[in-house]
């Protein structure tokens, strides 16, 4: 135990005695980066609080019948229609994770959850929040790493811990299929000695907010083997860049999830000077029910991986294979059958 305590203290500088208990007793779950309180037996877990938008996205697919609400603010009826019927009327409970929680402790306690689950970033801030909330409420709290390439293991881990192993395995198998297909497409590009496609992911009203090197916001772009041009501005979660930098970086492709920016981009004479815009290589990534590239950076990015593979390597993924992947995800993860019209709206420029 002492060695375990020392290792985790060295990593993030907080107490991890309960985490160590979990690690020593359940060594099969390396993605659990923080666990506080006495975790119930999986089959006894029936009421789950989601700590943030990233965990919302995963839990609505994995354990919709156990979820007590959404931490994501402002989910519209148009968005919720994709979710299983049993969760469409769940309340907005607020966010527990990170700084500036919007979920008052007394409301968390009043819900009588069996466990609080956080997925995503596992920095000291998120770990210390989990420890503090557990101490104040006595409610078990776990934090699971949320990197994109770990998605299958996230689903299996939380499926086991939340009493939904069979469902977790089913979703994980599909996730593995998506990720392996994208990796094959990337390898095919590499085998032809072709340079990585240079991509810029534009966010915000003016499109100049973006994820830097190593950012979880642009992880899907990295995963499919493209080169995030904003990496040249350094490492970090996100930052504003300038038009001068963009003109220097000369991206081959520009991607955004912001429809207002997308419309502006197509008309703005300044943006027309960027090669990607001049060549018509500008794409609006879908964002329902959650952003396919990011926002939040959760399992929804599996859709982004399929979409990006078709956008960047159309010779490696036929439209039929793409559409089957998208339809399959909605059916399996949301229990929703996409109409031909909805699929076409998600797939503009990809047919």
């Amino acid at each position: 135990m002492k060695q375990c305590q020392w290792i985790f203290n060295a990593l993030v500088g907080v107490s991890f005695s309960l985490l160590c208990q979990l690690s020593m007793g359940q060594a099969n779950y390396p993605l659990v980066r923080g666990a506080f309180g006495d975790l119930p037996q999986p089959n006894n877990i029936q009421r789950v609080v989601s700590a943030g938008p990233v965990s919302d996205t995963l839990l609505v697919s994995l354990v919709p019948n156990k979820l007590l609400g959404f931490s994501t603010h402002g989910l519209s009826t148009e968005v919720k229609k994709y979710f299983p019927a049993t969760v469409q009327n769940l309340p907005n409970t607020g966010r527990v994770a990170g700084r500036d929680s919007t979920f008052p402790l007394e409301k968390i306690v009043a819900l009588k959850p069996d466990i609080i689950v956080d997925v995503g970033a596992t920095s000291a801030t998120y770990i210390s929040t989990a420890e503090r909330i557990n101490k104040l409420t006595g409610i078990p709290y776990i934090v699971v790493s949320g990197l994109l390439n770990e998605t299958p293991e996230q689903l299996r881990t939380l499926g086991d811990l939340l009493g939904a192993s069979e469902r977790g395995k089913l979703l994980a198998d599909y996730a593995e299929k998506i990720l392996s297909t994208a990796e094959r497409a990337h390898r095919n590009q590499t085998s032809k000695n072709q340079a990585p496609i240079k991509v810029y992911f534009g966010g915000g009203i003016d499109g100049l907010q973006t994820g830097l090197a190593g950012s979880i916001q642009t992880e899907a772009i990295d995963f499919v083997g493209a080169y995030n041009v904003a990496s040249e501005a350094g490492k970090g979660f996100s930052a504003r860049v300038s038009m001068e930098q963009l003109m220097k970086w000369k991206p081959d492709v520009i991607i955004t999830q912001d429809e207002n920016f997308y419309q502006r981009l197509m008309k703005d004479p300044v943006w027309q000077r960027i090669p990607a815009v001049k060549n018509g290589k500008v794409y609006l990534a879908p964002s329902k029910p959650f952003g396919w590239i990011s926002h939040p950076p959760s399992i929804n990015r599996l859709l982004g991986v399929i979409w990006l593979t078709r956008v960047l390597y159309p010779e490696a993924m036929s439209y039929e294979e793409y559409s089957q992947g998208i339809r399959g995800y909605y059916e399996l993860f949301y229990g929703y059958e996409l109409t031909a019209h909805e699929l076409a709206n998600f797939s503009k420029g990809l047919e």
Side-chain angles (χ1 to χ4, degrees):
M1 174 65 77
K2 285 183 179 178
Q3 183 181 10
C4 186
Q5 183 76 61
W6 182 88
I7 292 171
F8 285 112
N9 281 347
L11 286 173
V12 296
V14 297
S15 172
F16 276 98
S17 59
L18 291 172
L19 171 61
C20 288
Q21 289 170 16
L22 178 75
S23 296
M24 296 177 72
Q26 303 182 29
N28 291 331
Y29 304 119
L31 295 189
V32 177
R33 302 297 166 79
F36 302 94
D38 296 326
L39 300 187
Q41 289 298 311
N43 290 336
N44 292 335
I45 295 178
Q46 301 300 326
R47 298 174 65 79
V48 178
V49 159
S50 169
V54 176
S55 45
D56 280 355
T57 310
L58 187 149
L59 295 171
V60 75
S61 292
L62 180 64
V63 287
N65 56 326
K66 300 183 181 186
L67 190 61
L68 297 179
F70 294 101
S71 69
T72 305
H73 179 70
L75 289 174
S76 66
T77 302
E78 187 181 4
V79 166
K80 288 184 176 180
K81 77 173 187 178
Y82 296 103
F83 299 158
T86 53
V87 303
Q88 290 184 5
N89 294 320
L90 287 179
N92 171 233
T93 49
R95 178 174 49 78
V96 186
R99 296 188 176 92
D100 304 323
S101 169
T102 59
F103 198 162
L105 290 181
E106 59 271 23
K107 289 189 176 181
I108 298 175
V109 173
L111 280 176
K112 299 180 179 178
D114 298 313
I115 193 168
I116 301 171
V117 175
D118 189 15
V119 181
T122 56
S123 67
T125 298
Y126 291 90
I127 299 296
S128 62
T129 295
E131 184 176 34
R132 180 175 58 82
I133 297 293
N134 170 254
K135 283 182 177 177
L136 292 172
T137 66
I139 300 167
Y141 194 133
I142 58 173
V143 181
V144 176
S145 178
L147 296 178
L148 176 58
N149 66 344
E150 299 170 341
T151 302
E153 200 53 38
Q154 292 158 20
L155 292 163
R156 291 192 187 95
T157 294
L158 282 167
D160 286 352
L161 295 175
L162 301 179
S165 294
E166 187 174 343
R167 174 76 176 160
K169 182 179 183 307
L170 184 66
L171 300 183
D173 289 348
Y174 198 83
E176 280 183 341
K177 181 180 177 183
I178 291 172
L179 296 178
S180 62
T181 298
E183 285 179 328
R184 280 199 303 275
H186 173 216
R187 282 199 300 270
N188 182 53
Q189 177 86 352
T190 303
S191 67
K192 296 177 181 175
N193 293 321
Q194 295 177 343
I197 298 172
K198 296 188 295 182
V199 175
Y200 174 71
F201 180 60
I205 296 174
D206 60 4
L208 295 177
Q209 191 76 27
T210 191
L212 301 179
S215 172
I216 197 169
Q217 298 289 350
T218 48
E219 204 179 2
I221 293 170
D222 297 332
F223 184 84
V224 299
Y227 176 66
N228 173 17
V229 294
S231 297
E232 298 185 22
K235 293 184 177 180
F237 183 73
S238 68
R240 283 189 63 76
V241 297
S242 67
M243 286 302 300
E244 289 74 19
Q245 286 173 300
L246 273 172
M247 289 179 184
K248 179 181 176 183
W249 296 337
K250 297 179 181 177
D252 302 313
V253 174
I254 294 178
I255 291 168
T256 183
Q257 287 182 169
D258 189 306
E259 186 160 7
N260 291 328
F261 166 60
Y262 176 77
Q263 296 300 337
R264 173 184 170 184
L265 175 68
M266 303 303 286
K267 302 173 184 174
D268 191 320
V270 176
W271 281 92
Q272 295 295 322
R273 296 162 60 187
I274 305 291
V277 182
K278 284 194 293 189
N279 297 328
K281 297 294 185 181
V282 180
Y283 298 89
L284 177 63
S287 56
K288 291 178 182 175
F290 303 104
W292 286 17
I293 306 299
S294 186
H295 307 303
S298 187
I299 64 171
N300 45 308
R301 294 177 296 173
L302 293 171
L303 286 166
V305 168
I306 302 172
W307 184 84
L308 281 168
T309 302
R310 176 62 185 167
V311 167
L312 300 177
Y313 314 114
E315 71 286 354
M317 176 181 279
S318 68
Y319 183 75
E320 182 180 6
E321 187 179 8
Y322 157 82
S323 59
Q324 287 176 349
I326 299 297
R327 284 184 185 279
Y329 186 98
Y330 275 78
E331 290 173 6
L332 184 58
F333 284 69
Y334 299 134
Y336 185 87
E337 185 174 350
L338 282 177
T339 67
H341 178 70
E342 288 167 332
L343 178 62
N345 273 339
F346 289 155
S347 311
K348 291 177 180 175
L350 304 187
E351 297 90 343

